[in-house]
Amino acid sequence: MKKRGKFGLLLALFLSVGLLAGLGYLRSPSATPEAAIRKYVFLQGLSSVEAFHLRIKRGDYVDPRYGQQFVVEGFRGNGTGMEIHFFYLKKTPVGWRVVSAGTGP
């Protein structure tokens, strides 16, 4: 019976460490702009499958406040159901992060 108790404790510890590592990954900047956008969509989308079917194109515009514009097809906002086309990302020393996303430039 003690072995089963130790196993349960080890399993709980393993799951806790895995959960914390996963949350850390989801909150950290990404290596590429595309990965940052897919991570954002995965966390915000109604269906996480959307994140794998996006068409992402780097825009020509760089906003001084929000960063590099990217035009995305295939993501609908969960509040309005409207397609979210414009993402603005900034590059930090450790990677890319989404600063803003919306329906208009």
Side-chain angles (χ1 to χ4, degrees):
M1 186 142 172
K2 285 187 176 186
K3 284 186 179 181
R4 190 170 281 191
K6 286 183 181 181
F7 176 74
L9 182 62
L10 287 174
L11 180 61
L13 180 64
F14 177 75
L15 291 175
S16 297
V17 169
L19 180 64
L20 287 174
L23 289 174
Y25 167 75
L26 291 174
R27 295 187 48 86
S28 66
S30 300
T32 66
E34 292 80 6
I37 291 169
R38 290 183 197 288
K39 189 186 302 183
Y40 178 90
V41 170
F42 179 81
L43 293 173
Q44 301 293 321
L46 292 173
S47 167
S48 57
V49 175
E50 286 178 308
F52 301 103
H53 298 286
L54 300 174
R55 287 176 299 287
I56 302 169
K57 186 174 91 172
R58 184 182 204 106
D60 295 330
Y61 183 68
V62 178
D63 185 275
R65 182 175 177 191
Y66 295 107
Q68 176 66 51
Q69 180 189 71
F70 286 83
V71 181
V72 176
E73 293 180 24
F75 174 55
R76 295 198 175 276
N78 55 6
T80 63
M82 294 177 66
E83 193 160 6
I84 306 296
H85 286 288
F86 299 98
F87 284 72
Y88 289 88
L89 284 77
K90 281 194 173 182
K91 186 170 184 179
T92 68
V94 292
W96 290 86
R97 65 180 180 87
V98 175
V99 175
S100 179
T103 58

